[in-house]
Amino acid sequence: MLPIYYSDVFLSHDTGAFHPERPARLLSIVKTLRSAPFANKLEWRDPPVASLAEIERVHSPQHIQSVAALAAAGGGRIEADTLVSSGSFEAARLAVGAWIAASERVLQTSQPAFVLCRPPGHHAEPEQAMGFCLFSNAAIAALWALEQPGIERVAIFDWDVHHGNGTQAVVEHYPQLAYASTHQFPLYPGTGSASEIGIHGNICNVPLPAGSDWSVYKSALSEKILPFLQKFQPDLLLISAGFDCAKGDPLAGMLLEPEDFGRMAQLCLEQVTRKTLFGLEGGYDLNNLARSWLSLAQVCLEGEP
């Protein structure tokens, strides 16, 4: 069985009619997975709401309160392209809770799990929301995991087309964490050059030019990302799974096909660890998004013992 952490509460994060990060993204993925030939092997699980103390592993009380207050006031713009609605604070807390609960499940079973949530998280910095992101889901889950018995190292691989500046800002301070990223460069948010390796050498950025297809990504993985992760030997791998590097995405210029995400997942599961969480970040073409998660699910289930 493949556990999927999802809730309709994530749909209550209302970004408005024309915002690319919209509820329809989740609806498209969920509909496709529920009607998949292997739907009986998917275990849909309700995520818990994260406590404020859990979110404070990364974020200041002031930042958390700013999101809560804006939601309580009915919503508004918290940053240039980042919106908060009345339901956003609850959805964001649930997203953090989903990443933590899925991490716990992966550690218990040594098998992969999915998190289908929004808002996404990899741009959110300790003191501010940005890039559609409110709380740093992956970084919070990574720090939670480090507190569990026997867990000494946690890695995050971010294949979203945009560099995860928020995740990197947290990870670079902890030698027990590692962050690897493939991303289109130059592109928002402008961070993620190859020279950014962190004070502990625990950062691996692989900026790629627009127009990169699977052959380029495959080389990046085999030459840089996978050796970096293998050397680190993580007890848990968190994947910030963004699908805006798919061909035709409205916010970027990469050329991956939906099946290529399954290929990336398979390389990680076979060459790094099956103790892997796949959590949704970006991806704004609904058809590509749904087909990509279908490909991921097939790969995860095929490797079941």
Side-chain angles (χ1 to χ4, degrees), residues 3-34:
I4 302 176
Y5 289 80
Y6 169 78
S7 169
D8 286 344
V9 173
F10 296 132
L11 306 177
S12 66
H13 171 53
D14 182 3
T15 49
F18 302 106
H19 199 283
E21 202 294 284
R22 60 203 195 276
R25 301 174 63 232
L26 279 185
L27 292 171
S28 175
I29 300 166
V30 170
K31 179 182 177 183
T32 297
L33 290 177
R34 287 193 187 279

PDB file of all heavy atoms in Angstrom, residues 3-34:
ATOM      1  N   PRO A   3       0.737   5.075   1.188  1.00  0.00           N
ATOM      2  CA  PRO A   3      -0.029   6.068   1.943  1.00  0.00           C
ATOM      3  C   PRO A   3       0.018   7.443   1.289  1.00  0.00           C
ATOM      4  O   PRO A   3       1.076   7.894   0.830  1.00  0.00           O
ATOM      5  CB  PRO A   3       0.655   6.091   3.309  1.00  0.00           C
ATOM      6  CG  PRO A   3       1.928   5.375   3.165  1.00  0.00           C
ATOM      7  CD  PRO A   3       1.966   4.676   1.849  1.00  0.00           C
ATOM      8  N   ILE A   4      -1.150   8.103   1.245  1.00  0.00           N
ATOM      9  CA  ILE A   4      -1.253   9.446   0.692  1.00  0.00           C
ATOM     10  C   ILE A   4      -1.913  10.338   1.730  1.00  0.00           C
ATOM     11  O   ILE A   4      -3.053  10.092   2.139  1.00  0.00           O
ATOM     12  CB  ILE A   4      -2.076   9.473  -0.608  1.00  0.00           C
ATOM     13  CG1 ILE A   4      -1.463   8.549  -1.668  1.00  0.00           C
ATOM     14  CG2 ILE A   4      -2.180  10.900  -1.149  1.00  0.00           C
ATOM     15  CD1 ILE A   4      -2.275   8.449  -2.942  1.00  0.00           C
ATOM     16  N   TYR A   5      -1.211  11.357   2.174  1.00  0.00           N
ATOM     17  CA  TYR A   5      -1.741  12.291   3.160  1.00  0.00           C
ATOM     18  C   TYR A   5      -2.392  13.460   2.421  1.00  0.00           C
ATOM     19  O   TYR A   5      -1.716  14.208   1.719  1.00  0.00           O
ATOM     20  CB  TYR A   5      -0.624  12.751   4.102  1.00  0.00           C
ATOM     21  CG  TYR A   5      -0.196  11.639   5.027  1.00  0.00           C
ATOM     22  CD1 TYR A   5       0.667  10.644   4.583  1.00  0.00           C
ATOM     23  CD2 TYR A   5      -0.691  11.562   6.321  1.00  0.00           C
ATOM     24  CE1 TYR A   5       1.036   9.589   5.421  1.00  0.00           C
ATOM     25  CE2 TYR A   5      -0.323  10.517   7.166  1.00  0.00           C
ATOM     26  CZ  TYR A   5       0.537   9.532   6.705  1.00  0.00           C
ATOM     27  OH  TYR A   5       0.889   8.496   7.527  1.00  0.00           O
ATOM     28  N   TYR A   6      -3.710  13.558   2.582  1.00  0.00           N
ATOM     29  CA  TYR A   6      -4.484  14.562   1.852  1.00  0.00           C
ATOM     30  C   TYR A   6      -5.718  14.930   2.663  1.00  0.00           C
ATOM     31  O   TYR A   6      -6.276  14.105   3.384  1.00  0.00           O
ATOM     32  CB  TYR A   6      -4.922  14.032   0.482  1.00  0.00           C
ATOM     33  CG  TYR A   6      -5.945  14.924  -0.182  1.00  0.00           C
ATOM     34  CD1 TYR A   6      -5.557  16.104  -0.798  1.00  0.00           C
ATOM     35  CD2 TYR A   6      -7.313  14.617  -0.127  1.00  0.00           C
ATOM     36  CE1 TYR A   6      -6.506  16.958  -1.359  1.00  0.00           C
ATOM     37  CE2 TYR A   6      -8.264  15.464  -0.683  1.00  0.00           C
ATOM     38  CZ  TYR A   6      -7.847  16.636  -1.296  1.00  0.00           C
ATOM     39  OH  TYR A   6      -8.776  17.481  -1.833  1.00  0.00           O
ATOM     40  N   SER A   7      -6.184  16.169   2.512  1.00  0.00           N
ATOM     41  CA  SER A   7      -7.435  16.621   3.113  1.00  0.00           C
ATOM     42  C   SER A   7      -8.080  17.671   2.220  1.00  0.00           C
ATOM     43  O   SER A   7      -7.381  18.485   1.601  1.00  0.00           O
ATOM     44  CB  SER A   7      -7.168  17.227   4.497  1.00  0.00           C
ATOM     45  OG  SER A   7      -8.319  17.896   4.977  1.00  0.00           O
ATOM     46  N   ASP A   8      -9.407  17.672   2.179  1.00  0.00           N
ATOM     47  CA  ASP A   8     -10.129  18.725   1.443  1.00  0.00           C
ATOM     48  C   ASP A   8      -9.892  20.107   2.058  1.00  0.00           C
ATOM     49  O   ASP A   8     -10.155  21.125   1.409  1.00  0.00           O
ATOM     50  CB  ASP A   8     -11.632  18.432   1.427  1.00  0.00           C
ATOM     51  CG  ASP A   8     -11.988  17.296   0.475  1.00  0.00           C
ATOM     52  OD1 ASP A   8     -11.147  16.945  -0.376  1.00  0.00           O
ATOM     53  OD2 ASP A   8     -13.115  16.766   0.581  1.00  0.00           O
ATOM     54  N   VAL A   9      -9.397  20.149   3.294  1.00  0.00           N
ATOM     55  CA  VAL A   9      -9.085  21.435   3.930  1.00  0.00           C
ATOM     56  C   VAL A   9      -8.053  22.210   3.108  1.00  0.00           C
ATOM     57  O   VAL A   9      -8.060  23.450   3.094  1.00  0.00           O
ATOM     58  CB  VAL A   9      -8.584  21.220   5.377  1.00  0.00           C
ATOM     59  CG1 VAL A   9      -8.088  22.524   5.990  1.00  0.00           C
ATOM     60  CG2 VAL A   9      -9.704  20.635   6.234  1.00  0.00           C
ATOM     61  N   PHE A  10      -7.192  21.494   2.399  1.00  0.00           N
ATOM     62  CA  PHE A  10      -6.189  22.173   1.573  1.00  0.00           C
ATOM     63  C   PHE A  10      -6.827  23.018   0.470  1.00  0.00           C
ATOM     64  O   PHE A  10      -6.207  23.947  -0.047  1.00  0.00           O
ATOM     65  CB  PHE A  10      -5.222  21.162   0.947  1.00  0.00           C
ATOM     66  CG  PHE A  10      -4.387  20.409   1.962  1.00  0.00           C
ATOM     67  CD1 PHE A  10      -4.257  19.035   1.888  1.00  0.00           C
ATOM     68  CD2 PHE A  10      -3.736  21.091   2.978  1.00  0.00           C
ATOM     69  CE1 PHE A  10      -3.487  18.346   2.815  1.00  0.00           C
ATOM     70  CE2 PHE A  10      -2.960  20.410   3.913  1.00  0.00           C
ATOM     71  CZ  PHE A  10      -2.839  19.035   3.829  1.00  0.00           C
ATOM     72  N   LEU A  11      -8.062  22.697   0.117  1.00  0.00           N
ATOM     73  CA  LEU A  11      -8.768  23.458  -0.920  1.00  0.00           C
ATOM     74  C   LEU A  11      -9.245  24.808  -0.392  1.00  0.00           C
ATOM     75  O   LEU A  11      -9.570  25.701  -1.171  1.00  0.00           O
ATOM     76  CB  LEU A  11      -9.964  22.650  -1.438  1.00  0.00           C
ATOM     77  CG  LEU A  11      -9.659  21.231  -1.930  1.00  0.00           C
ATOM     78  CD1 LEU A  11     -10.955  20.533  -2.333  1.00  0.00           C
ATOM     79  CD2 LEU A  11      -8.658  21.234  -3.076  1.00  0.00           C
ATOM     80  N   SER A  12      -9.293  24.966   0.943  1.00  0.00           N
ATOM     81  CA  SER A  12      -9.792  26.211   1.532  1.00  0.00           C
ATOM     82  C   SER A  12      -8.744  27.319   1.520  1.00  0.00           C
ATOM     83  O   SER A  12      -9.031  28.450   1.915  1.00  0.00           O
ATOM     84  CB  SER A  12     -10.284  25.963   2.957  1.00  0.00           C
ATOM     85  OG  SER A  12      -9.210  25.600   3.799  1.00  0.00           O
ATOM     86  N   HIS A  13      -7.521  27.000   1.094  1.00  0.00           N
ATOM     87  CA  HIS A  13      -6.505  28.040   0.854  1.00  0.00           C
ATOM     88  C   HIS A  13      -6.854  28.664  -0.501  1.00  0.00           C
ATOM     89  O   HIS A  13      -6.491  28.150  -1.553  1.00  0.00           O
ATOM     90  CB  HIS A  13      -5.114  27.416   0.859  1.00  0.00           C
ATOM     91  CG  HIS A  13      -4.015  28.332   0.429  1.00  0.00           C
ATOM     92  ND1 HIS A  13      -3.807  29.570   0.994  1.00  0.00           N
ATOM     93  CD2 HIS A  13      -3.052  28.183  -0.525  1.00  0.00           C
ATOM     94  CE1 HIS A  13      -2.768  30.147   0.415  1.00  0.00           C
ATOM     95  NE2 HIS A  13      -2.299  29.319  -0.508  1.00  0.00           N
ATOM     96  N   ASP A  14      -7.604  29.763  -0.461  1.00  0.00           N
ATOM     97  CA  ASP A  14      -8.188  30.377  -1.656  1.00  0.00           C
ATOM     98  C   ASP A  14      -7.299  31.514  -2.151  1.00  0.00           C
ATOM     99  O   ASP A  14      -7.202  32.559  -1.509  1.00  0.00           O
ATOM    100  CB  ASP A  14      -9.589  30.889  -1.329  1.00  0.00           C
ATOM    101  CG  ASP A  14     -10.290  31.505  -2.528  1.00  0.00           C
ATOM    102  OD1 ASP A  14      -9.706  31.480  -3.639  1.00  0.00           O
ATOM    103  OD2 ASP A  14     -11.404  32.017  -2.352  1.00  0.00           O
ATOM    104  N   THR A  15      -6.659  31.307  -3.285  1.00  0.00           N
ATOM    105  CA  THR A  15      -5.722  32.306  -3.814  1.00  0.00           C
ATOM    106  C   THR A  15      -6.347  33.202  -4.881  1.00  0.00           C
ATOM    107  O   THR A  15      -5.661  34.059  -5.446  1.00  0.00           O
ATOM    108  CB  THR A  15      -4.490  31.595  -4.411  1.00  0.00           C
ATOM    109  OG1 THR A  15      -4.938  30.551  -5.291  1.00  0.00           O
ATOM    110  CG2 THR A  15      -3.636  30.977  -3.315  1.00  0.00           C
ATOM    111  N   GLY A  16      -7.626  33.006  -5.174  1.00  0.00           N
ATOM    112  CA  GLY A  16      -8.293  33.861  -6.153  1.00  0.00           C
ATOM    113  C   GLY A  16      -8.362  33.216  -7.528  1.00  0.00           C
ATOM    114  O   GLY A  16      -7.670  32.253  -7.832  1.00  0.00           O
ATOM    115  N   ALA A  17      -9.186  33.800  -8.375  1.00  0.00           N
ATOM    116  CA  ALA A  17      -9.549  33.180  -9.657  1.00  0.00           C
ATOM    117  C   ALA A  17      -8.387  32.965 -10.609  1.00  0.00           C
ATOM    118  O   ALA A  17      -8.355  31.989 -11.349  1.00  0.00           O
ATOM    119  CB  ALA A  17     -10.635  34.022 -10.330  1.00  0.00           C
ATOM    120  N   PHE A  18      -7.412  33.861 -10.618  1.00  0.00           N
ATOM    121  CA  PHE A  18      -6.391  33.795 -11.665  1.00  0.00           C
ATOM    122  C   PHE A  18      -5.003  33.435 -11.141  1.00  0.00           C
ATOM    123  O   PHE A  18      -4.015  33.569 -11.854  1.00  0.00           O
ATOM    124  CB  PHE A  18      -6.351  35.132 -12.417  1.00  0.00           C
ATOM    125  CG  PHE A  18      -7.665  35.500 -13.027  1.00  0.00           C
ATOM    126  CD1 PHE A  18      -8.454  36.498 -12.465  1.00  0.00           C
ATOM    127  CD2 PHE A  18      -8.149  34.815 -14.132  1.00  0.00           C
ATOM    128  CE1 PHE A  18      -9.696  36.832 -13.018  1.00  0.00           C
ATOM    129  CE2 PHE A  18      -9.378  35.135 -14.695  1.00  0.00           C
ATOM    130  CZ  PHE A  18     -10.160  36.139 -14.141  1.00  0.00           C
ATOM    131  N   HIS A  19      -4.914  33.007  -9.905  1.00  0.00           N
ATOM    132  CA  HIS A  19      -3.614  32.659  -9.332  1.00  0.00           C
ATOM    133  C   HIS A  19      -3.223  31.253  -9.789  1.00  0.00           C
ATOM    134  O   HIS A  19      -4.037  30.329  -9.751  1.00  0.00           O
ATOM    135  CB  HIS A  19      -3.682  32.721  -7.803  1.00  0.00           C
ATOM    136  CG  HIS A  19      -2.347  32.837  -7.152  1.00  0.00           C
ATOM    137  ND1 HIS A  19      -1.493  31.768  -7.015  1.00  0.00           N
ATOM    138  CD2 HIS A  19      -1.696  33.889  -6.597  1.00  0.00           C
ATOM    139  CE1 HIS A  19      -0.380  32.158  -6.399  1.00  0.00           C
ATOM    140  NE2 HIS A  19      -0.491  33.453  -6.132  1.00  0.00           N
ATOM    141  N   PRO A  20      -1.968  31.053 -10.220  1.00  0.00           N
ATOM    142  CA  PRO A  20      -1.579  29.717 -10.704  1.00  0.00           C
ATOM    143  C   PRO A  20      -1.607  28.642  -9.622  1.00  0.00           C
ATOM    144  O   PRO A  20      -1.882  27.474  -9.912  1.00  0.00           O
ATOM    145  CB  PRO A  20      -0.160  29.935 -11.245  1.00  0.00           C
ATOM    146  CG  PRO A  20       0.318  31.211 -10.634  1.00  0.00           C
ATOM    147  CD  PRO A  20      -0.898  32.046 -10.407  1.00  0.00           C
ATOM    148  N   GLU A  21      -1.339  29.020  -8.362  1.00  0.00           N
ATOM    149  CA  GLU A  21      -1.332  28.027  -7.271  1.00  0.00           C
ATOM    150  C   GLU A  21      -2.747  27.967  -6.707  1.00  0.00           C
ATOM    151  O   GLU A  21      -3.079  28.643  -5.749  1.00  0.00           O
ATOM    152  CB  GLU A  21      -0.292  28.444  -6.208  1.00  0.00           C
ATOM    153  CG  GLU A  21       0.187  27.275  -5.339  1.00  0.00           C
ATOM    154  CD  GLU A  21      -0.903  26.705  -4.468  1.00  0.00           C
ATOM    155  OE1 GLU A  21      -1.261  27.331  -3.449  1.00  0.00           O
ATOM    156  OE2 GLU A  21      -1.421  25.614  -4.824  1.00  0.00           O
ATOM    157  N   ARG A  22      -3.573  27.119  -7.320  1.00  0.00           N
ATOM    158  CA  ARG A  22      -5.009  27.126  -7.042  1.00  0.00           C
ATOM    159  C   ARG A  22      -5.501  25.731  -6.635  1.00  0.00           C
ATOM    160  O   ARG A  22      -4.827  24.732  -6.903  1.00  0.00           O
ATOM    161  CB  ARG A  22      -5.758  27.614  -8.277  1.00  0.00           C
ATOM    162  CG  ARG A  22      -5.549  26.763  -9.523  1.00  0.00           C
ATOM    163  CD  ARG A  22      -5.840  27.575 -10.779  1.00  0.00           C
ATOM    164  NE  ARG A  22      -6.002  26.742 -11.989  1.00  0.00           N
ATOM    165  CZ  ARG A  22      -4.979  26.314 -12.723  1.00  0.00           C
ATOM    166  NH1 ARG A  22      -3.729  26.596 -12.374  1.00  0.00           N
ATOM    167  NH2 ARG A  22      -5.201  25.593 -13.814  1.00  0.00           N
ATOM    168  N   PRO A  23      -6.675  25.659  -6.019  1.00  0.00           N
ATOM    169  CA  PRO A  23      -7.197  24.369  -5.559  1.00  0.00           C
ATOM    170  C   PRO A  23      -7.330  23.319  -6.659  1.00  0.00           C
ATOM    171  O   PRO A  23      -7.200  22.118  -6.386  1.00  0.00           O
ATOM    172  CB  PRO A  23      -8.571  24.738  -4.979  1.00  0.00           C
ATOM    173  CG  PRO A  23      -8.434  26.160  -4.539  1.00  0.00           C
ATOM    174  CD  PRO A  23      -7.524  26.793  -5.562  1.00  0.00           C
ATOM    175  N   ALA A  24      -7.578  23.751  -7.891  1.00  0.00           N
ATOM    176  CA  ALA A  24      -7.750  22.802  -8.997  1.00  0.00           C
ATOM    177  C   ALA A  24      -6.526  21.896  -9.183  1.00  0.00           C
ATOM    178  O   ALA A  24      -6.650  20.784  -9.698  1.00  0.00           O
ATOM    179  CB  ALA A  24      -8.023  23.562 -10.293  1.00  0.00           C
ATOM    180  N   ARG A  25      -5.363  22.360  -8.739  1.00  0.00           N
ATOM    181  CA  ARG A  25      -4.156  21.529  -8.838  1.00  0.00           C
ATOM    182  C   ARG A  25      -4.348  20.217  -8.072  1.00  0.00           C
ATOM    183  O   ARG A  25      -4.083  19.134  -8.575  1.00  0.00           O
ATOM    184  CB  ARG A  25      -2.936  22.279  -8.295  1.00  0.00           C
ATOM    185  CG  ARG A  25      -2.629  23.586  -9.004  1.00  0.00           C
ATOM    186  CD  ARG A  25      -1.499  24.345  -8.319  1.00  0.00           C
ATOM    187  NE  ARG A  25      -0.267  23.577  -8.370  1.00  0.00           N
ATOM    188  CZ  ARG A  25       0.498  23.299  -7.320  1.00  0.00           C
ATOM    189  NH1 ARG A  25       0.152  23.696  -6.110  1.00  0.00           N
ATOM    190  NH2 ARG A  25       1.606  22.611  -7.468  1.00  0.00           N
ATOM    191  N   LEU A  26      -4.794  20.337  -6.830  1.00  0.00           N
ATOM    192  CA  LEU A  26      -4.999  19.149  -6.014  1.00  0.00           C
ATOM    193  C   LEU A  26      -6.144  18.295  -6.546  1.00  0.00           C
ATOM    194  O   LEU A  26      -6.049  17.058  -6.576  1.00  0.00           O
ATOM    195  CB  LEU A  26      -5.293  19.544  -4.566  1.00  0.00           C
ATOM    196  CG  LEU A  26      -4.102  19.896  -3.679  1.00  0.00           C
ATOM    197  CD1 LEU A  26      -4.582  20.146  -2.254  1.00  0.00           C
ATOM    198  CD2 LEU A  26      -3.063  18.791  -3.684  1.00  0.00           C
ATOM    199  N   LEU A  27      -7.219  18.934  -6.944  1.00  0.00           N
ATOM    200  CA  LEU A  27      -8.374  18.191  -7.442  1.00  0.00           C
ATOM    201  C   LEU A  27      -8.001  17.329  -8.649  1.00  0.00           C
ATOM    202  O   LEU A  27      -8.461  16.191  -8.775  1.00  0.00           O
ATOM    203  CB  LEU A  27      -9.506  19.153  -7.800  1.00  0.00           C
ATOM    204  CG  LEU A  27     -10.149  19.881  -6.605  1.00  0.00           C
ATOM    205  CD1 LEU A  27     -11.092  20.969  -7.086  1.00  0.00           C
ATOM    206  CD2 LEU A  27     -10.877  18.891  -5.704  1.00  0.00           C
ATOM    207  N   SER A  28      -7.151  17.864  -9.503  1.00  0.00           N
ATOM    208  CA  SER A  28      -6.713  17.127 -10.690  1.00  0.00           C
ATOM    209  C   SER A  28      -5.917  15.881 -10.309  1.00  0.00           C
ATOM    210  O   SER A  28      -6.147  14.789 -10.848  1.00  0.00           O
ATOM    211  CB  SER A  28      -5.866  18.056 -11.569  1.00  0.00           C
ATOM    212  OG  SER A  28      -5.331  17.356 -12.664  1.00  0.00           O
ATOM    213  N   ILE A  29      -4.997  16.038  -9.355  1.00  0.00           N
ATOM    214  CA  ILE A  29      -4.170  14.898  -8.919  1.00  0.00           C
ATOM    215  C   ILE A  29      -5.041  13.839  -8.240  1.00  0.00           C
ATOM    216  O   ILE A  29      -4.948  12.636  -8.539  1.00  0.00           O
ATOM    217  CB  ILE A  29      -3.078  15.369  -7.941  1.00  0.00           C
ATOM    218  CG1 ILE A  29      -2.168  16.405  -8.585  1.00  0.00           C
ATOM    219  CG2 ILE A  29      -2.250  14.170  -7.464  1.00  0.00           C
ATOM    220  CD1 ILE A  29      -1.279  17.147  -7.582  1.00  0.00           C
ATOM    221  N   VAL A  30      -5.890  14.276  -7.314  1.00  0.00           N
ATOM    222  CA  VAL A  30      -6.708  13.342  -6.536  1.00  0.00           C
ATOM    223  C   VAL A  30      -7.653  12.554  -7.443  1.00  0.00           C
ATOM    224  O   VAL A  30      -7.784  11.328  -7.317  1.00  0.00           O
ATOM    225  CB  VAL A  30      -7.489  14.100  -5.445  1.00  0.00           C
ATOM    226  CG1 VAL A  30      -8.526  13.201  -4.783  1.00  0.00           C
ATOM    227  CG2 VAL A  30      -6.526  14.653  -4.401  1.00  0.00           C
ATOM    228  N   LYS A  31      -8.293  13.236  -8.374  1.00  0.00           N
ATOM    229  CA  LYS A  31      -9.218  12.558  -9.297  1.00  0.00           C
ATOM    230  C   LYS A  31      -8.485  11.487 -10.107  1.00  0.00           C
ATOM    231  O   LYS A  31      -8.989  10.362 -10.267  1.00  0.00           O
ATOM    232  CB  LYS A  31      -9.847  13.593 -10.238  1.00  0.00           C
ATOM    233  CG  LYS A  31     -10.813  12.996 -11.249  1.00  0.00           C
ATOM    234  CD  LYS A  31     -11.371  14.060 -12.187  1.00  0.00           C
ATOM    235  CE  LYS A  31     -12.285  13.439 -13.232  1.00  0.00           C
ATOM    236  NZ  LYS A  31     -12.782  14.460 -14.202  1.00  0.00           N
ATOM    237  N   THR A  32      -7.298  11.823 -10.588  1.00  0.00           N
ATOM    238  CA  THR A  32      -6.535  10.876 -11.410  1.00  0.00           C
ATOM    239  C   THR A  32      -6.085   9.669 -10.596  1.00  0.00           C
ATOM    240  O   THR A  32      -6.189   8.522 -11.047  1.00  0.00           O
ATOM    241  CB  THR A  32      -5.328  11.594 -12.033  1.00  0.00           C
ATOM    242  OG1 THR A  32      -5.800  12.628 -12.893  1.00  0.00           O
ATOM    243  CG2 THR A  32      -4.477  10.630 -12.845  1.00  0.00           C
ATOM    244  N   LEU A  33      -5.590   9.893  -9.388  1.00  0.00           N
ATOM    245  CA  LEU A  33      -5.122   8.774  -8.561  1.00  0.00           C
ATOM    246  C   LEU A  33      -6.281   7.891  -8.105  1.00  0.00           C
ATOM    247  O   LEU A  33      -6.160   6.662  -8.058  1.00  0.00           O
ATOM    248  CB  LEU A  33      -4.345   9.298  -7.356  1.00  0.00           C
ATOM    249  CG  LEU A  33      -2.972   9.917  -7.658  1.00  0.00           C
ATOM    250  CD1 LEU A  33      -2.343  10.455  -6.369  1.00  0.00           C
ATOM    251  CD2 LEU A  33      -2.038   8.910  -8.318  1.00  0.00           C
ATOM    252  N   ARG A  34      -7.420   8.497  -7.781  1.00  0.00           N
ATOM    253  CA  ARG A  34      -8.567   7.706  -7.309  1.00  0.00           C
ATOM    254  C   ARG A  34      -9.143   6.823  -8.417  1.00  0.00           C
ATOM    255  O   ARG A  34      -9.800   5.807  -8.128  1.00  0.00           O
ATOM    256  CB  ARG A  34      -9.659   8.625  -6.752  1.00  0.00           C
ATOM    257  CG  ARG A  34      -9.320   9.247  -5.391  1.00  0.00           C
ATOM    258  CD  ARG A  34     -10.549   9.869  -4.757  1.00  0.00           C
ATOM    259  NE  ARG A  34     -10.280  10.612  -3.540  1.00  0.00           N
ATOM    260  CZ  ARG A  34     -10.125  10.074  -2.322  1.00  0.00           C
ATOM    261  NH1 ARG A  34     -10.201   8.766  -2.173  1.00  0.00           N
ATOM    262  NH2 ARG A  34      -9.898  10.845  -1.266  1.00  0.00           N
TER     263      ARG A  34
END
